[in-house]
Amino acid sequence: HSRLVKHGGVTVLQHLLQTSTSEECKCMAAGALSNVCTNRSIDRALVESGVLRVLVNAISSPNKKLVAHAVRGLANIFPALDNTDEHVTEDFVVSLLLLCGSSDISVVRHVAIILYYISKSSETRSVVISLNGLSIIESMTVVKKRSIDKLAQMILAHFSANE
């Protein structure tokens, strides 16, 4: 994976994801980037390359497969970030909250992981509150998948502990 960053492969994948006219090509690029985001030893290089911005932009795509790959990539890299505030915009939070209602449980689980990490920041929590996102997160606690229910409870705990 580190050679992929070093030799420009990540840049090529980002370019394909942003500019390809082929939905299949975009999905493959997003899937490859998502896999690369699992490598903790290159997190900083990935962030510096702009991979977060590219994946954040991809989650608003109408292509469900592309969104699933992009959300998985973000869930893979967000735990490694020291400061999530600089990567979180209101539009990003809106997109995440909209994806909470996805019929794809894997997407919802990955969104919950991202929300967990970004909810540690008071700045992000205020964005979620201003968007009435707490009720959406609360609705995740009734999802039949225990891992999502548990994550939603942990996210809500960030809010209640900092009131």
Side-chain angles (χ1 to χ4, degrees), residues 93-114:
V93 174
V94 167
S95 295
L96 289 174
L97 293 172
L98 289 171
L99 287 171
C100 288
S102 172
S103 59
D104 184 337
I105 290 295
S106 177
V107 167
V108 176
R109 184 171 47 84
H110 288 118
V111 167
I113 291 167
I114 299 164

Side-chain angles (χ1 to χ4, degrees), residues 31-116:
L33 286 171
S34 179
N35 290 337
V36 170
C37 288
T38 62
N39 187 333
R40 296 284 76 97
S41 67
I42 59 172
D43 288 334
R44 176 164 275 122
L46 288 172
V47 171
E48 290 170 2
S49 78
V51 76
L52 280 171
R53 180 183 36 79
V54 173
L55 291 173
V56 165
N57 289 340
I59 68 169
S60 57
S61 169
N63 183 322
K64 291 179 190 232
K65 189 174 181 183
L66 175 60
V67 169
H69 286 306
V71 170
R72 183 171 56 90
L74 290 167
N76 286 338
I77 201 162
F78 259 88
L81 298 177
D82 295 329
N83 176 10
T84 61
D85 285 346
E86 64 190 80
H87 306 288
V88 177
T89 64
E90 187 172 305
D91 288 342
F92 176 52
V93 174
V94 167
S95 295
L96 289 174
L97 293 172
L98 289 171
L99 287 171
C100 288
S102 172
S103 59
D104 184 337
I105 290 295
S106 177
V107 167
V108 176
R109 184 171 47 84
H110 288 118
V111 167
I113 291 167
I114 299 164
L115 285 170
Y116 171 76

Side-chain angles (χ1 to χ4, degrees), residues 89-162:
T89 64
E90 187 172 305
D91 288 342
F92 176 52
V93 174
V94 167
S95 295
L96 289 174
L97 293 172
L98 289 171
L99 287 171
C100 288
S102 172
S103 59
D104 184 337
I105 290 295
S106 177
V107 167
V108 176
R109 184 171 47 84
H110 288 118
V111 167
I113 291 167
I114 299 164
L115 285 170
Y116 171 76
Y117 284 99
I118 68 174
S119 69
K120 291 180 177 183
S121 155
S122 60
E123 193 173 312
T124 303
R125 284 193 303 273
S126 61
V127 172
V128 171
I129 291 167
S130 72
L131 295 169
N132 296 316
L134 281 179
S135 61
I136 295 169
I137 294 169
E138 286 169 353
S139 71
M140 293 170 69
T141 63
V142 296
V143 174
K144 298 283 188 257
K145 282 290 212 182
R146 182 143 172 73
S147 61
I148 295 171
D149 169 45
K150 191 77 167 160
L151 277 166
Q153 290 175 18
M154 292 165 64
I155 295 164
L156 292 170
H158 285 163
F159 285 89
S160 61
N162 294 288

Side-chain angles (χ1 to χ4, degrees), residues 4-34:
L4 191 61
V5 174
K6 189 181 202 177
H7 296 294
V10 168
T11 304
V12 170
L13 291 169
Q14 290 173 332
H15 183 72
L16 284 171
L17 180 54
Q18 292 175 303
T19 62
S20 178
T21 56
S22 163
E23 288 299 311
E24 184 177 350
C25 185
K26 285 181 179 184
C27 286
M28 287 201 271
L33 286 171
S34 179

